[in-house]
Amino acid sequence: MATYLITGIAGFIGSALARAVLAQGDQVRGVDNLSTGKRDNLAEILHRIDFRQTDLLSLDAVRSACQGTDYVLHQAAIPSVPRSVADPLTSNSANLDATVNVLVAARDAKVKRVVYAASSSAYGETPTLPKHEAMPPDPISPYAVAKLASEYYMVSFYRCYRLETVCLRYFNIFGPRQDPTSPYSGVLAKFITQMLKGEHPTIFGDGRQSRDFTYVDNAVAANLLACKAPAADVAGRVFNVATGVRTDLNETFRILKKLIGYTGDVKYEAERAGDVKHSLADLSRAQKHLGYEPKVDFEEGLRRTVEWYKSGSVGRTSDFGSTISDAVVESKHEFKV
Ligand code: UD1
């Protein structure tokens, strides 16, 4: 039985990873400072994991968390491009300084492999589509710079210390438990919950910007594959994790309207600073070396996510944390690799 340390375990990706690791019969330790994650996201598995509410900026705490672990899945971050534009210092410490602490602690604890939640934002406005990993990055926002610098640290720790590291460039991951309540929340969590409440969502710009929106189960599968793939194929390397299909925001709104039965309209406001126009992944490297294939496409992912928010809102009062009904819904979509 292997032990996995998941950083950012109370986030929607971290908590989905925790469920998947438990489902394959392994042990989970998790750290989260609960700055953006929620304890509720772990409600029904909390008794089965070693959860530590702690900050990755404390090197001692990270060292202790790494002791005796085989794999580290480093998901902790303060996401959001516009939040990093508003507050680059906090973005830098949470998204870069914390990563260096994780790497130092993992190296010293002789962890087998570290898998890192990198970001498609590293590609920036490079005109080529789809984006492939050999392209020179061109980050725009402070968030993208911190995520890319963390990737370079991952690669450096493999080159300098032979700590096996794998970077997964996530393309706009979405799904159940993603927090919709912050002005910086991901667009799909926001749109779905706004439309379910009969409110009008806002599109920043003309709505023709497109994204390779990726359902969370695909990211989970990529992490588990990245732990097991031969080091010769994956260590010190970067891989796109996406679906290989892009959809623009106007079309996304139309699909959601149909799924939800929403009859209202969308508002348009000025484009956001630091925003990328188009994003689409080339998946050939991940397919070849990780054996990765997207299992859940965009529309199916949207259906599952809408269902989750719909049933989750029953019996809820002030937030979108987990309830018993959430756990029941989630179990219907149990993760399978
Ligand atoms: C970026 C990264 C993504 C990363 C995420 C972390 C790119 C291409 N993607 O996502 O990999 O996981 O940061 O935060 O860089 N929007 C609206 N209305 C809203 C909210 C957003 O129109 O209410 C628009 C945004 O302007 C943007 C698109 O929707 O054009 C997606 O925004 P968001 O969900 O915040 O993600 P990205 O910034 O694309």
Side-chain angles (χ1 to χ4, degrees), residues 3-329:
T3 300
Y4 288 68
L5 170 64
I6 302 172
T7 71
I9 194 169
F12 86 105
I13 302 175
S15 61
L17 278 166
R19 286 184 184 81
V21 171
L22 289 174
Q24 70 181 15
D26 289 315
Q27 283 187 325
V28 173
R29 182 178 295 162
V31 296
D32 204 300
N33 64 3
L34 301 182
S35 69
T36 59
K38 290 191 170 61
R39 195 183 282 269
D40 272 355
N41 286 342
L42 300 167
E44 88 287 9
I45 56 167
L46 207 47
H47 64 289
R48 297 174 62 197
I49 65 178
D50 172 4
F51 173 67
R52 303 175 184 196
Q53 183 177 343
T54 188
D55 200 301
L56 296 179
L57 293 173
S58 158
L59 181 58
D60 286 346
V62 191
R63 283 191 188 284
S64 156
C66 281
Q67 278 313 315
T69 60
D70 300 289
Y71 302 102
V72 176
L73 309 178
H74 179 36
Q75 310 297 308
I78 294 195
S80 172
V81 165
R83 181 167 13 205
S84 77
V85 174
D87 182 4
L89 282 174
T90 304
S91 171
N92 189 72
S93 54
N95 299 329
L96 179 58
D97 295 345
T99 299
V100 184
N101 279 354
V102 168
L103 281 168
V104 167
R107 177 200 64 190
D108 294 350
K110 306 208 176 335
V111 161
K112 285 188 187 133
R113 194 169 287 180
V114 178
V115 180
Y116 175 58
S119 171
S120 64
S121 57
Y123 291 111
E125 279 299 22
T126 41
T128 315
L129 286 176
K131 314 284 187 196
H132 59 83
E133 299 87 341
M135 287 169 52
D138 185 21
I140 298 174
S141 62
Y143 172 80
V145 170
K147 281 280 169 181
L148 180 61
S150 286
E151 270 187 22
Y152 286 139
Y153 268 110
M154 290 282 155
V155 176
S156 162
F157 270 60
Y158 178 61
R159 290 189 176 155
C160 296
Y161 310 110
R162 285 296 175 222
L163 171 65
E164 292 179 12
T165 57
V166 185
C167 297
L168 302 178
R169 277 190 187 161
Y170 290 169
F171 281 65
N172 290 74
I173 312 296
F174 72 98
R177 297 185 177 79
Q178 187 169 21
D179 177 15
T181 59
S182 148
Y184 298 127
S185 295
V187 67
L188 296 178
K190 273 175 85 179
F191 276 21
I192 292 170
T193 52
Q194 287 167 333
M195 290 163 82
L196 285 173
K197 285 194 272 179
E199 295 171 1
H200 298 278
T202 303
I203 287 181
F204 299 124
D206 61 9
R208 287 195 213 138
Q209 70 265 48
S210 60
R211 295 290 183 271
D212 190 338
F213 290 113
T214 304
Y215 187 65
V216 62
D217 282 12
N218 298 317
V220 168
N223 274 273
L224 300 182
L225 290 165
C227 291
K228 298 296 174 206
D233 291 340
V234 301
R237 301 192 76 185
V238 175
F239 297 91
N240 289 340
V241 172
T243 58
V245 177
R246 72 188 164 99
T247 311
D248 77 21
L249 281 192
N250 292 322
E251 175 63 10
T252 300
F253 176 66
R254 276 193 290 274
I255 297 170
L256 283 175
K257 257 183 121 166
K258 244 199 255 163
L259 277 178
I260 292 172
Y262 177 82
T263 50
D265 288 323
V266 69
K267 295 179 286 183
Y268 288 86
E269 281 182 16
E271 194 178 312
R272 279 188 336 197
D275 218 23
V276 162
K277 193 75 187 166
H278 300 295
S279 178
L280 173 70
D282 180 311
L283 294 178
S284 44
R285 186 186 284 186
Q287 286 165 327
K288 183 169 177 202
H289 296 294
L290 292 177
Y292 168 82
E293 288 296 342
K295 291 261 166 37
V296 181
D297 68 20
F298 178 48
E299 290 211 30
E300 175 57 21
L302 277 185
R303 259 189 292 280
R304 292 185 190 186
T305 308
V306 167
E307 276 315 305
W308 187 84
Y309 284 113
K310 254 191 191 167
S311 62
S313 57
V314 178
R316 275 185 186 161
T317 47
S318 59
D319 71 15
F320 283 82
S322 225
T323 63
I324 290 171
S325 62
D326 300 335
V328 172
V329 171

